Amino acid sequence: MNILVVGYTYISDSGRATFNFYPQPENVFFLLPDIWKARFGKVIYHGPKADNIFLTKTYFTHSLYPIIGGLLKGWMPNFPFVLWRLKRRHNIKLVYSCSEPNLLTTLYNGFWSKVFGIKYVPYAWENLPYEKKYAAGFKKLILRLTLFFSDGLICGTRKAKKIYEPYVGRKPIAVFPMNGLDPNFFKRQSGPKVFGDMNFDGKVIFSFVGAIDKRKGVHLIIEAFPEVLKKVPSAHLIIVGSGNNDAIIDEQIKKFNISGQVTRVPWIDHNEVIKLLSISDVFLYPSIPYEGWEEQFGYAMAEASLMGLPVISTQSGSIEDVIQDEKTGILVPPNNAEALGEAMISLGKNKELRVRLGDAGREYTDTNLSREVIAKKFYDFFKSLI
């Protein structure tokens, strides 16, 4: 049962790592960009070389183009020619396209898959009803055509499934994330509370890792933190990341006169993230709805859970697919700094509660979101279609 995985999402080694646990990895082939420019060219990926990886020119690398927006993001014009060759040489039975079904790119891949008589499965992350996001019906038309050519659909979250069910009809829908996590990599390291050249022994560390954009709610952490310090004097906040809200966060820190209790780091690699989470006591991720967007999954929260950290996040988007309220973390209303602060105080003052939620978080994430588990779900769903 040979399958072809198509899309820029899997150009990184970590992106493809889940398929290393696929029950029959020799049956998985990838069609990837030869070059992919992420974050408007700030990060450049070069297509990897391997016997099961095929590279091609890929156009439109973001979603902010005039008129077309992101409709053609990740478009591979040579897709039909490559697919024709791969079908002959490797007997490809199914194409899995990891781009949203309301894009022309996904429709293009679905049309040509059907022309060659190959099963087709797109992937969907959307967690807000289309009626709330698009006034025109053009994207709905693309969506309906794409799903007409598809043989099933994989949704990243339960909310996505509810949104797409009316469009899919009787075709099968599976629900699981695009990538699993590595429980062996995300393991807490023992030792003193040292991060870089800073020693945080005796501190209760609250940490955030992610983009410093308004939608991530970092400004709410800063707003809540002065009250937290009154109840938890040993609290210290470490914020890792950068974004278009950097200046606002810096100004907030000065306004509340808490610069001595807040450490900011622009960027760290994954190994450094492990070190940070190892010295942390609570992970914060107060994501908020913003301009027609809500959190679709939040891998940073899942990684923190695997590290045995309780997570404080919000009741928005699909966060409940990652964090179980009062079981693996605490979910508060979005845009509510007071409720966020109360949750921080509750965990900051109660080590036993932190440990209980953190242990439950690692068990839940390992059981449901590991690479081995997600790879098996891919395999079972594809097998059911062929």
Side-chain angles (χ1 to χ4, degrees):
M1 183 178 70
N2 290 352
I3 66 168
L4 177 65
V5 178
V6 183
Y8 63 89
T9 302
Y10 291 106
I11 194 170
S12 68
D13 293 340
S14 60
R16 296 188 309 281
T18 294
F19 284 96
N20 293 337
F21 294 87
Y22 196 77
Q24 296 175 343
E26 69 277 5
N27 296 140
V28 181
F29 298 84
F30 294 90
L31 178 58
L32 306 173
D34 57 352
I35 297 176
W36 182 255
K37 298 178 180 180
R39 299 179 187 177
F40 300 95
K42 293 180 181 179
V43 179
I44 298 178
Y45 293 95
H46 293 273
K49 295 181 179 180
D51 291 341
N52 67 330
I53 295 176
F54 302 89
L55 306 178
T56 186
K57 294 290 182 183
T58 306
Y59 300 90
F60 302 99
T61 58
H62 58 80
S63 300
L64 298 178
Y65 293 96
I67 302 176
I68 64 170
L71 287 174
L72 285 170
K73 186 175 182 179
W75 181 45
M76 300 175 175
N78 287 333
F79 172 75
F81 306 103
V82 176
L83 181 60
W84 177 74
R85 291 200 305 270
L86 292 180
K87 182 184 178 182
R88 294 184 61 190
R89 295 178 183 176
H90 301 287
N91 193 29
I92 298 297
K93 294 292 186 181
L94 181 145
V95 170
Y96 156 51
S97 180
C98 58
S99 54
E100 289 278 359
N102 61 353
L103 302 184
L104 287 171
T105 298
T106 322
L107 174 59
Y108 181 80
N109 294 345
F111 171 79
W112 285 108
S113 295
K114 291 293 101 178
V115 167
F116 295 123
I118 297 173
K119 300 282 187 178
Y120 183 65
V121 175
Y123 195 96
W125 273 114
E126 186 61 75
N127 58 10
L128 286 175
Y130 278 82
E131 291 74 16
K132 291 186 177 181
K133 297 191 70 172
Y134 307 114
F138 185 56
K139 284 204 170 184
K140 281 190 177 180
L141 175 61
I142 298 173
L143 171 66
R144 291 183 184 278
L145 287 172
T146 299
L147 295 178
F148 172 78
F149 291 123
S150 75
D151 296 278
L153 178 68
I154 302 175
C155 293
T157 65
R158 289 172 291 174
K159 281 189 176 180
K161 181 182 178 183
K162 289 182 180 180
I163 291 171
Y164 286 101
E165 277 179 330
Y167 299 96
V168 173
R170 296 183 178 180
K171 295 177 181 179
I173 303 178
V175 180
F176 50 86
M178 192 175 290
N179 292 301
L181 293 98
D182 184 0
N184 294 317
F185 180 75
F186 290 100
K187 275 188 175 180
R188 202 173 184 87
Q189 299 174 350
S190 59
K193 281 192 170 183
V194 175
F195 183 63
D197 58 356
M198 298 169 285
N199 191 311
F200 296 104
D201 279 340
K203 297 291 185 179
V204 176
I205 302 297
F206 294 87
S207 62
F208 168 87
V209 179
I212 310 300
D213 298 332
K214 186 172 183 179
R215 64 183 184 174
K216 298 300 183 181
V218 181
H219 60 288
L220 297 169
I221 301 175
I222 304 301
E223 186 178 338
F225 202 53
E227 192 64 29
V228 173
L229 285 168
K230 292 179 183 178
K231 303 294 179 63
V232 188
S234 60
H236 192 93
L237 175 62
I238 301 179
I239 299 173
V240 174
S242 60
N244 52 30
N245 255 31
D246 279 331
I248 293 174
I249 298 303
D250 289 338
E251 187 60 35
Q252 273 189 299
I253 292 172
K254 291 180 183 178
K255 173 185 174 182
F256 290 116
N257 194 27
I258 55 174
S259 58
Q261 291 78 39
V262 179
T263 299
R264 291 208 58 194
V265 182
W267 181 87
I268 55 177
D269 63 26
H270 240 139
N271 289 317
E272 290 297 310
V273 170
I274 296 298
K275 294 180 182 179
L276 171 63
L277 297 181
S278 292
I279 70 163
S280 297
D281 297 285
V282 180
F283 188 75
L284 306 173
Y285 204 85
S287 180
I288 63 175
Y290 184 66
E291 295 185 349
W293 174 93
E294 292 187 18
E295 194 70 52
Q296 294 175 325
F297 191 77
Y299 274 97
M301 291 181 287
E303 292 171 358
S305 285
L306 264 185
M307 293 289 293
L309 290 179
V311 176
I312 300 177
S313 191
T314 57
Q315 298 157 340
S316 64
S318 296
I319 289 173
E320 290 180 336
D321 282 25
V322 185
I323 304 301
Q324 296 181 299
D325 191 24
E326 303 294 342
K327 295 180 179 179
T328 67
I330 299 177
L331 301 182
V332 301
N335 277 309
N336 191 324
E338 183 179 354
L340 175 62
E342 290 174 356
M344 293 170 68
I345 292 168
S346 175
L347 287 178
K349 295 175 66 175
N350 192 334
K351 182 177 180 179
E352 182 181 343
L353 178 60
R354 296 198 300 266
V355 172
R356 176 165 60 83
L357 296 181
D359 288 347
R362 178 168 175 84
E363 181 180 356
Y364 174 81
T365 308
D366 190 2
T367 301
N368 295 279
L369 300 173
S370 71
R371 286 174 174 170
E372 188 172 1
V373 168
I374 301 306
K376 183 64 163 52
K377 289 185 176 182
F378 269 115
Y379 176 80
D380 290 343
F381 187 62
F382 293 158
K383 186 177 180 180
S384 71
L385 298 177
I386 300 177

